[in-house]
Amino acid sequence: MARIIVVTSGKGGVGKTTTSAAIAMGLAKKGHKTAVIDFDVGLRNLDLILGCERRVVYDFVNVINGEATLNQALIKDKRCDKLFVLPASQTRDKDALTVEGVGKVLKELKKTFKYIVCDSPAGIERGAHLAMYFADDAFVVTNPEVSSVRDSDRMLGILSSKSQRAEKSETPIKEYLLLTRYNPARVKLGEMLSVDDVQDILSLHLLGVIPESQAVLNASNSGTPVILDEASDAGQSYSDIVDRYLGEDKPHRFIDEEKKGLFGRLFRS
């Protein structure tokens, strides 16, 4: 049975697209046929993060409007034959997305894909609502700062009340917390909220913590999902997140500040 995952947040710039690309690639690398959809009509960044921007011919809106088939619009990832990308349109208005159109595309995708990852725009406008409307699972992405957490809390209210599952009185969307750009040293200095602080506010199941990392920017600039950088903390974090989502019991990493040995203390800068 296919699962629809929405990657969402109330605030922009928290790492949703990076997360969508990493999670989709991770699921595909595990052998699950996965589609990832960019719902950010008018902007379109997912194809850049995945390095397939030059291969975009048709997009999500073309499929909804009957101007192209789903098969024509889907782009197969060159690194993993289980991963497919459905890009957003850069030239259309957000109103081009409709409940009926999105529902039809998702219904068709569910026939052949195990996981469908929906990369949501920030906020509560139309694209964000449609990205989460059909979801089975929600990955709520937030930074460890008050404004980001507050906006995520607002999104939780929308997830619980305005989804198709809520309208039909079905089992609620499963909600998971992903905490991005986390720096234990800054938490210790009181410059960031701690993991416990965020969980106290949102009361969500913690799926993973992604540390502040230059690897994320490097990966984005090179069109490579950071999960493929297995040597980086961020890449390892996303791998752990995929494993936990699939049911593996893995301890959380990168939450506590690394303790320096004697050599590190003597020669720290």
Side-chain angles (χ1 to χ4, degrees):
M1 189 71 173
R3 297 289 292 182
I4 298 174
I5 302 166
V6 62
V7 179
T8 186
S9 76
K11 195 173 187 289
V14 298
K16 282 186 305 299
T17 300
T18 294
T19 295
S20 296
I23 295 299
M25 177 61 81
L27 290 168
K29 282 286 189 183
K30 288 284 186 179
H32 304 293
K33 194 174 182 184
T34 303
V36 57
I37 308 174
D38 191 344
F39 274 78
D40 206 350
V41 175
L43 291 177
R44 199 175 84 192
N45 288 313
L46 182 64
D47 54 310
L48 288 170
I49 300 292
L50 285 163
C52 62
E53 68 278 7
R54 295 178 184 174
R55 297 166 59 202
V56 176
V57 178
Y58 295 109
D59 57 53
F60 193 11
V61 175
N62 290 138
V63 178
I64 287 174
N65 291 344
E67 298 157 354
T69 66
L70 187 56
N71 190 55
Q72 286 177 297
L74 283 170
I75 302 169
K76 183 191 283 189
D77 188 86
K78 289 182 177 180
R79 295 151 298 205
C80 181
D81 62 5
K82 295 283 187 183
L83 178 61
F84 292 77
V85 185
L86 183 56
S89 171
Q90 281 185 306
T91 58
R92 307 294 180 99
D93 188 83
K94 295 185 190 298
D95 290 337
L97 297 181
T98 64
V99 173
E100 295 77 16
V102 171
K104 186 177 178 181
V105 172
L106 291 174
K107 185 177 180 181
E108 191 171 345
L109 285 168
K110 287 173 78 172
K111 294 176 183 175
T112 52
F113 287 88
K114 179 67 183 293
Y115 293 103
I116 302 159
V117 179
C118 301
D119 180 25
S120 171
I124 56 173
E125 46 81 25
R126 186 173 186 80
H129 177 247
L130 288 172
M132 65 86 171
Y133 182 73
F134 296 96
D136 300 305
D137 303 315
F139 289 6
V140 179
V141 182
T142 189
N143 292 157
E145 57 182 55
V146 173
S147 62
S148 180
V149 175
R150 181 194 62 200
D151 289 345
S152 292
D153 200 21
R154 188 179 182 193
M155 287 306 300
L156 292 175
I158 295 170
L159 284 166
S160 65
S161 61
K162 290 192 174 183
S163 67
Q164 187 181 57
R165 284 176 170 268
E167 289 177 1
K168 293 184 175 181
S169 299
E170 295 176 348
T171 306
I173 294 172
K174 286 187 178 179
E175 299 162 345
Y176 302 92
L177 173 64
L178 273 71
L179 192 54
T180 55
R181 296 179 183 159
Y182 194 76
N183 185 325
R186 292 182 64 192
V187 170
K188 194 173 181 180
L189 292 170
E191 297 174 356
M192 282 184 173
L193 297 175
S194 69
V195 172
D196 289 340
D197 291 335
V198 176
Q199 285 190 288
D200 284 345
I201 297 167
L202 297 179
S203 299
L204 286 182
H205 174 73
L206 181 66
L207 202 57
V209 173
I210 298 94
E212 275 189 321
S213 174
Q214 181 65 33
V216 173
L217 181 60
N218 295 344
S220 297
N221 288 338
S222 65
T224 305
V226 70
I227 196 169
L228 296 179
D229 183 359
E230 297 175 2
S232 71
D233 288 355
Q236 292 169 33
S237 293
Y238 277 116
S239 291
D240 287 352
I241 285 166
V242 171
D243 289 341
R244 290 190 198 102
Y245 175 69
L246 293 175
E248 290 189 42
D249 185 14
K250 286 207 161 187
H252 287 281
R253 298 189 278 172
F254 315 114
I255 291 176
D256 300 315
E257 192 174 7
E258 277 189 32
K259 289 183 172 64
K260 292 184 179 179
L262 177 62
F263 187 86
R265 290 198 300 274
L266 289 173
F267 294 96
R268 66 186 175 191
S269 56

